[in-house]
Amino acid sequence: MVDIESYLVAIGLLLMIAELLLGFSVILLFTLGLSLLITAALVYAGGIEPSILNLFIAVSVLDLILMVVLWKPMKYLQRDKAPLKVKNDLIGNMVELPEDVSPTRSATLHYSGIIWKVNSDESIPAGSKVIIKDVSVGTLTVGRNT
């Protein structure tokens, strides 16, 4: 067991780099890598005798402690973020409605090479010029031109 602490450092760093590349999706790799680094530091400092059994126990106990302590912060890093509203070039354009639109009735509109479903929060008669207020997949939300 010549210079076992160098192996602990190398394996610990490899595990932490792998966790970083995976985007903190496997928390165990991070805590195991960190416990290997802490164990290597304890061996360098003379706090632990570098035998296989002592190193195994130290890494196991440290990994358990780190897993308990870091579980919530690491899960917080994995949370789903709210999707950002995408700016669309169609918003603000004026179109003419081919059919009546109301909160309870949708219409279809052929615009920019696509057949859109048109929704509105207000009743608007056919032939009215309206402004596109929002765009989602296959749907335009329009409002009166004010």
Side-chain angles (χ1 to χ4, degrees), residues 1-4 50-52:
M1 297 292 172
V2 177
D3 207 24
I4 188 86
S51 71
I52 295 293

Side-chain angles (χ1 to χ4, degrees), residues 15-128:
L15 288 174
M16 292 180 79
I17 289 169
E19 180 68 36
L20 182 66
L21 293 174
L22 291 172
F24 289 104
S25 61
V26 185
I27 296 169
L28 179 64
L29 293 179
F30 179 77
T31 58
L32 186 57
L34 193 56
S35 64
L36 285 167
L37 293 176
I38 293 170
T39 302
L42 290 172
V43 171
Y44 276 125
I48 296 177
E49 180 185 328
S51 71
I52 295 293
L53 181 61
N54 288 343
L55 295 176
F56 180 77
I57 291 170
V59 168
S60 299
V61 169
L62 282 170
D63 191 39
L64 179 68
I65 292 168
L66 288 171
M67 185 67 80
V68 169
V69 170
L70 295 177
W71 182 260
K72 282 199 177 201
M74 296 295 280
K75 288 303 278 184
Y76 181 76
L77 287 175
Q78 294 177 341
R79 75 189 184 289
D80 287 332
K81 296 175 181 83
L84 298 174
K85 188 72 172 163
V86 177
K87 169 97 173 79
N88 192 302
D89 292 337
L90 295 178
I91 295 175
N93 288 354
M94 290 191 60
V95 294
E96 185 175 323
L97 290 178
E99 305 172 38
D100 292 343
V101 177
S102 68
T104 59
R105 182 171 180 220
S106 297
T108 57
L109 171 71
H110 188 268
Y111 181 70
S112 188
I114 300 171
I115 297 175
W116 297 90
K117 178 181 171 186
V118 180
N119 295 327
S120 179
D121 295 334
E122 54 188 315
S123 294
I124 305 172
S128 300

Side-chain angles (χ1 to χ4, degrees), residues 126-143:
S128 300
K129 295 257 185 199
V130 292
I131 293 181
I132 299 172
K133 294 189 173 195
D134 192 22
V135 178
S136 59
V137 179
T139 304
L140 298 175
T141 303
V142 298

